[in-house]
Structures are given as C-alpha cells and as structure tokens.
C-alpha cells in the first residue's frame, strides 16, 4: 500500500530486483508495473483487492498527514484485510507518535502524541496490534531519498534563497530510504512481530541534516538559515530520538546514520 511514494517505490524496486512478484497500490500517481488504484479509506475496496491479489506479505506505507481517515482508518482497513487473507503485515509507523518529552525512545515506550498526525499514527498502531498481533509495526524517522525526498528538496530551496529556516534544536534519527526498504523486506521475511524502530543510527538536528545534504550536493551550507523551534509556535515534538539498538541486533541490514549515508555522493543514473 502506498506504492507511489518515496518509500513504496523503493520497497517495490528492491523486491522486484530480488525476483519477487510485486503488486502495488496508488491513489493519485500511478507507478510502473502491476499497480492498482485504491482509496485506502474504503474498507471494502481494500479487503476486496487483497483477496483478489492474494499476497503473502502486505507492506503498508500509505499515509496522509492532514487526513485521519487515510492514516488511522486506512491502517485499520489494511490490518483487517491482512487478517482476512492470512497475509503477513508490515505496517510503517512514525516517530510522530511521541511527544519528545523523553528525548530517547525504545520499542517499549508508550506513544504520547501531541499532533493530529501523531495521534492518527498511534491509533493505527493500536488497531494493527489488536487485529494482527503477528504483524510488524516499523516506526521510522525522517526518510532521506537520493535527492527526491521532501527534506532534500527543502534544503535545495533554502540554499537558493527560499524563505524558511532549519531548526538547530529539533532532533531526529534520519534514515536512508534504501536502508529502510531493505530492513522492512528483511522483517517481512522474518518471524519477528510487534514494534521495531527502523531509524538511522544517531541523532542530528534538522539544521545539521541540511548541512550534510548541502555538502553532498555541492551547495553553499552557509546559505542555510538556522532558527530555534523553541518559541516558534509551531506544533510538534522537538526531540525524538528512536533507539534502534534492539531492532538492529535482529537485522543483517545496517541502519546507517545520516553522517554516514550522506557522506557519499549521489549515484549517477
């Protein structure tokens, strides 16, 4: 589910490269290959499609930050469809389920969201646990692509003089989209269940992340405006560091930190 997004496209690419038969879903942008139009908010349509395709594994990477029905209800519909067909479910969640009050969070931490999006993600997690206890709930952080994530686009815009700033007191554990997709596929083929933190090793501020992207892409890092989230009035947590120690010990896929995966130049297509 969510096959036309940054993560969905990478999961599809890696699975097909491994010789697996993959069917994806989309809502607005049709990806290449075997793709099915689906409104994840429609429970009957989700269940009907999963019954028709009969997948062994369902990876749900679909979300819409401003829409509870897509993120919370949609996650519930996918869990119901997986349970009805016996499919293995890997549900992608977010560090947005936490308030930031604790700073560091491992897999045992209880969600305490402070934004509507975080609440929707937490609700979806609750539904998945209740409906499909054997599912994997994979919490992740800022997903960095190979030039095409929203964070990279923002850095390029700011370096070019666009208004805005990057917070120096807003900490996350960014993950490379390739590492994340590989880890999700590895978890899908494993016997593991429950919550896993699939985020990059080590925390960076949004400003440091911007500097790392600028250095990789040959931009002027000194042109990136900096600011403090504290006092900005913007909603959302400032310090959410997902501890991936437990999950990393289960995986052969290495979840690199941003300082490592952004040290290499972009691959030439």
């Amino acid at each position: 589910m969510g096959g036309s997004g940054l993560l969905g496209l990478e999961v599809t690419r890696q699975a097909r490269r491994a010789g697996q038969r993959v069917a994806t879903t989309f809502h607005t942008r049709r990806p290449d290959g075997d793709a099915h139009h689906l409104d994840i908010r429609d429970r009957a349509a989700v269940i009907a499609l999963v019954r028709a395709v009969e997948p062994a594994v369902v990876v749900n990477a679909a979300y819409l930050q401003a829409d509870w029905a897509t993120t919370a209800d949609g996650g519930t519909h996918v869990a119901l469809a997986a349970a009805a067909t016996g499919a293995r479910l890997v549900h992608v969640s977010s560090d947005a389920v936490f308030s930031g009050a604790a700073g560091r969070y491992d897999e045992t931490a209880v969600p305490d969201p402070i934004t509507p999006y975080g609440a929707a993600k937490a609700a979806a997690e609750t539904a998945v646990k209740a409906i499909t206890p054997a599912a994997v709930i994979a919490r992740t952080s800022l997903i960095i692509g190979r030039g095409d994530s929203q964070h990279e686009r923002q850095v390029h815009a700011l370096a070019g003089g666009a208004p805005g700033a990057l917070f120096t007191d807003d900490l996350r554990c960014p993950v490379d989209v390739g590492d994340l997709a590989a880890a999700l596929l590895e978890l899908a083929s494993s016997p593991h269940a429950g919550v896993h933190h699939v985020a990059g090793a080590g925390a960076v501020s949004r400003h440091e992340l911007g500097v790392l992207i600028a250095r990789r892409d040959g931009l002027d890092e000194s042109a990136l405006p900096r600011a403090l989230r504290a006092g900005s009035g913007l909603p959302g947590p400032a310090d959410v560091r997902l501890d991936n120690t437990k999950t990393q010990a289960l995986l052969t896929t290495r979840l690199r930190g941003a300082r490592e995966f952004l040290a290499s130049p972009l691959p030439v297509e």
Side-chain angles (χ1 to χ4, degrees), residues 188-208:
S189 63
S190 78
H192 305 305
V195 174
H196 293 80
H197 284 181
V198 192
V204 296
S205 71
R206 289 186 186 261
H207 183 266
E208 183 181 356

Side-chain angles (χ1 to χ4, degrees), residues 76-198:
T76 302
H77 300 161
V78 175
L80 288 168
T85 60
R88 169 98 162 133
L89 175 61
V90 177
H91 175 84
V92 181
S93 191
S94 167
D95 58 9
V97 301
F98 296 120
S99 69
R104 173 189 165 277
Y105 296 88
D106 65 16
E107 286 88 346
T108 65
V110 177
D112 60 342
I114 57 174
T115 63
Y117 173 61
K121 278 293 193 181
E125 286 191 9
T126 299
V128 168
K129 289 178 184 178
I131 297 166
T132 51
V136 169
I137 296 171
R139 292 185 188 134
T140 192
S141 189
L142 305 181
I143 303 174
I144 306 302
R146 293 173 176 84
D148 51 0
S149 70
Q150 67 180 60
H151 314 290
E152 291 159 286
R153 291 193 297 269
Q154 180 190 26
V155 169
H156 278 251
L158 290 172
L166 298 170
F167 294 129
T168 58
D169 60 343
D170 189 324
L171 301 176
R172 295 293 188 276
C173 295
V175 64
D176 175 75
V177 68
D179 293 352
L180 176 56
L184 294 178
L185 291 171
E186 186 176 346
L187 286 168
S189 63
S190 78
H192 305 305
V195 174
H196 293 80
H197 284 181
V198 192

Side-chain angles (χ1 to χ4, degrees), residues 144 146 173-180 199-202 244 248 253-264:
I144 306 302
R146 293 173 176 84
C173 295
V175 64
D176 175 75
V177 68
D179 293 352
L180 176 56
N244 73 1
Q248 182 63 90
T253 301
R254 197 161 66 86
L255 298 166
R256 299 169 296 163
R259 296 183 185 95
E260 179 179 355
F261 68 74
L262 286 170
S264 302

